[in-house]
Amino acid sequence: MSCKAQTHARHVGLRCGVPVPVPALTVNRLCGSGFQAIVSGAQLEDTMWAGLTDLHIKIPMGITAENLAEKYQITREDCDNYTYQTQQRWKAGHEAGHFAAEIAPIDIKAKKGKVPVTQDEHPRPQTTVEQMAKLAPVFKKQGTVTAANALMHLHLCRVTVRQSRSATGC
């Protein structure tokens, strides 16, 4: 890579095997790039909040999930059981090596030296339904959405709505 290159991030990405269609952004201390870093950070934050909000009715997606659970009679137990089942499916897929090509192992600095990161840190296949049942609902006092099942909750609601529409011809 040339030290005169204006697109260091692009060159590094390509040399590390990042596919050509994937964009890259280099931020440096020259010209307006420092300001661009602030703008890029603000855009990232806006994107995160937009993704957590139902843009049609301007409420959090968690409330939408709670409303769908109530409408389609999805219980907290249904959500926790579905989450447990999904975690077990991830575990089986992980143990079979199905995700290996999707994760590029990296080493991160820790107090005791470098630590290898070789898998997604989100899955929690060791979690039990009983442990999930102890978590408090997040959006409604007697709600169904918890920290454990929030991601799976919306998927379960979509599946249930789709099945309900199929049954009624809608």
Side-chain angles (χ1 to χ4, degrees):
M1 172 171 50
S2 166
C3 64
K4 295 180 183 179
Q6 294 296 315
T7 56
H8 293 293
R10 180 79 174 151
H11 291 193
V12 169
L14 291 172
R15 290 220 176 159
C16 290
V18 174
V20 171
V22 175
L25 172 67
T26 300
V27 177
N28 61 38
R29 295 176 293 181
L30 305 174
C31 307
S33 293
F35 185 69
Q36 180 61 49
I38 294 168
V39 170
S40 295
Q43 288 172 334
L44 178 63
E45 182 177 347
D46 286 348
T47 302
M48 181 187 74
W49 285 113
L52 295 174
T53 303
D54 183 329
L55 297 177
H56 295 288
I57 55 176
K58 308 285 191 252
I59 63 170
M61 292 300 285
I63 295 295
T64 299
E66 292 287 8
N67 293 340
L68 288 170
E70 187 175 322
K71 180 177 180 176
Y72 293 100
Q73 300 172 355
I74 300 170
T75 67
R76 162 73 184 270
E77 292 77 23
D78 292 335
C79 296
D80 288 347
N81 286 329
Y82 184 79
T83 300
Y84 177 77
Q85 181 184 42
T86 302
Q87 292 288 348
Q88 295 310 302
R89 287 178 177 165
W90 175 88
K91 180 181 178 183
H94 174 71
E95 288 174 353
H98 294 302
F99 309 121
E102 297 180 22
I103 306 243
I106 62 168
D107 289 331
I108 59 170
K109 279 186 183 179
K111 290 181 181 179
K112 296 182 179 181
K114 291 183 179 181
V115 175
V117 176
T118 59
Q119 71 181 44
D120 186 354
E121 63 185 358
H122 173 72
R124 302 279 191 271
Q126 73 282 2
T127 302
T128 66
V129 174
E130 294 77 21
Q131 289 171 319
M132 286 187 269
K134 293 178 184 177
L135 296 173
V138 178
F139 295 98
K140 288 187 174 181
K141 189 172 185 175
Q142 297 299 319
T144 59
V145 180
T146 68
N149 70 26
L151 291 176
M152 302 307 155
H153 196 286
L154 286 174
H155 179 68
L156 177 60
C157 287
R158 280 190 223 119
V159 169
T160 304
V161 169
R162 204 173 302 131
Q163 289 171 345
S164 176
R165 287 182 178 161
S166 294
T168 60
C170 294

